[in-house]
Amino acid sequence: WMLIKKDIPDEVKEMTKMLKKQFKNLQYAMGDKKSKKAEKFTQEYLQFGVDNPGIRNELYYQIIKQLTENPDPESVKKGYDVLALCLRTFLPSDDFVDYLVMWIRTHPDLNDEVTLYTSALHQKQFEEEETKQVPALSNLRKDIRALKEEGSRFSIPIGAFTGPSNEKHQSIDVRKFNQQFVTRGNLL
């Protein structure tokens, strides 16, 4: 069956048009298309995500597409900046969160950074109010720098032992500790 263009609902045509515009905004924000107004395009991209919760996953897919195997280090750096800004501004759907976290973990930025992005996501998940208006990019970047410098209480490093932490227990062998629980029939 071939779908004839006139049979496509107007809403689908309009959404396709808007998503193509957002993809161009992303390309401008990342420097893949040249513009002196990259910040304006970044702001528009973020606001579109805030205003359209039903298609936020598509915006994250666009970022993933632009970052995957991108040969331009400057574009990659800017792309991860847009990713961090998105993660501090709006969440993907619950069904998409695990995929996004796994993609981030398997595709760290140029500095092998992962925790910054997962922390931004987790911090946003615990916020009580949803963003209605995108804050100034400088304020969002300030929040992201703070996450990078101070860490986040919302993310635990992969492989971290979260058991006793006082001096008496600092020398504990995690494997033995975990094995004791399995041996006693307790599952971790």
Side-chain angles (χ1 to χ4, degrees), residues 79-95:
Y80 275 99
D81 178 57
V82 173
L83 176 61
L85 293 168
C86 286
L87 291 167
R88 282 298 299 130
T89 307
F90 57 84
L91 290 170
S93 71
D94 290 342
D95 294 338

Side-chain angles (χ1 to χ4, degrees), residues 4-176:
I4 300 173
K5 196 172 184 176
K6 68 178 182 170
D7 294 334
I8 298 172
D10 289 339
E11 300 85 33
V12 173
K13 289 178 189 175
E14 186 61 31
M15 186 56 65
T16 302
K17 184 178 172 183
M18 290 188 326
L19 286 170
K20 284 180 181 180
K21 180 178 190 255
Q22 294 314 309
F23 188 66
K24 285 183 181 178
N25 283 345
L26 177 62
Q27 290 176 314
Y28 285 122
M30 291 177 62
D32 296 329
K33 288 185 178 273
K34 301 301 173 207
S35 172
K36 293 180 181 178
K37 298 179 181 180
E39 295 288 285
K40 171 186 163 262
F41 293 110
T42 303
Q43 189 85 26
E44 284 182 24
Y45 195 79
L46 295 172
Q47 192 62 52
F48 186 81
V50 166
D51 294 341
N52 297 281
I55 57 169
R56 292 174 180 169
N57 292 353
E58 178 62 29
L59 298 178
Y60 282 106
Y61 279 126
Q62 289 180 353
I63 295 168
I64 288 169
K65 178 183 183 292
Q66 283 302 98
L67 286 172
T68 303
E69 298 183 22
N70 187 330
D72 181 357
E74 191 59 32
S75 173
V76 170
K77 180 180 172 191
K78 290 177 182 176
Y80 275 99
D81 178 57
V82 173
L83 176 61
L85 293 168
C86 286
L87 291 167
R88 282 298 299 130
T89 307
F90 57 84
L91 290 170
S93 71
D94 290 342
D95 294 338
F96 189 66
V97 168
D98 287 340
Y99 173 82
L100 183 59
V101 169
M102 290 310 299
W103 185 87
I104 291 167
R105 287 183 175 174
T106 57
H107 297 83
D109 69 13
L110 297 174
N111 298 316
D112 285 331
E113 178 64 55
V114 170
T115 306
L116 167 67
Y117 306 100
T118 57
S119 292
L121 171 66
H122 294 143
Q123 191 173 45
K124 188 68 180 168
Q125 286 175 314
F126 286 100
E127 286 181 3
E128 302 222 356
E129 287 188 34
E130 196 163 317
T131 304
K132 304 265 189 268
Q133 183 67 36
V134 177
L137 295 182
S138 59
N139 291 342
L140 284 172
R141 288 189 176 107
K142 181 178 160 190
D143 291 347
I144 292 165
R145 275 192 307 279
L147 272 177
K148 187 172 186 169
E149 292 167 8
E150 301 165 13
S152 168
R153 68 176 195 258
F154 300 107
S155 288
I156 300 170
I158 299 169
F161 175 65
T162 58
S165 59
N166 63 26
E167 287 183 22
K168 181 179 174 185
H169 297 288
Q170 282 183 347
S171 62
I172 193 167
D173 182 339
V174 175
R175 290 171 300 212
K176 286 181 185 176

